Amino acid sequence: LNDNPSHYKVTLSGTVKSPKISFDPPFLMLMPVPLDVKTETTIHIIPQDFLRKSQIQVELPELELEDSDRIYPFSVQFPEGKNIVISSDGTNKELICHISFRSSRPVSFLGNMFFIDEEGN
């Protein structure tokens, strides 16, 4: 290389994978219950292609009642933590999430809960 005018060409190619999460089950339906009784279920959050440790946050819906009062009847718990970690084989460990609902007022709801990482994705 030092005084050799030979040319070398290096070609690189790759694929960029964006982190994503999927859910099992993919949607949630909680059973109707009497007022002020908790109903709950467990979902599995399956992270994919996270290259570094991250933490999941949840945006819970606020419900507006007929009299304009606002309530937050949903709650979530992560019994094993909210951190997405990378195992030694490069895969991400799934997270367990308990979702519960309780309301002292009659209400029904169809909508979304948003699970986001530290970068707002």
Side-chain angles (χ1 to χ4, degrees), residues 7-15:
H7 297 280
Y8 294 91
K9 181 178 180 180
V10 176
T11 303
L12 301 174
S13 64
T15 303

Side-chain angles (χ1 to χ4, degrees), residues 67-80:
D67 63 1
S68 298
D69 280 352
R70 295 183 177 275
I71 61 171
Y72 292 88
F74 292 98
S75 64
V76 296
Q77 292 182 341
F78 292 86
E80 298 175 5

Side-chain angles (χ1 to χ4, degrees), residues 34-54:
L35 294 178
D36 218 21
V37 172
K38 181 165 69 170
T39 182
E40 61 186 337
T41 193
T42 298
I43 63 169
H44 297 267
I45 300 172
I46 305 154
Q48 297 169 319
D49 301 325
F50 280 81
L51 301 177
R52 64 181 183 276
K53 184 177 171 181
S54 189

Side-chain angles (χ1 to χ4, degrees), residues 98-118:
H98 297 298
I99 299 175
S100 63
F101 173 90
R102 179 184 300 204
S103 177
S104 60
R105 307 269 302 272
V107 65
S108 63
F109 171 75
L110 175 64
N112 297 310
M113 285 183 184
F114 293 99
F115 292 78
I116 56 174
D117 66 12
E118 292 170 335

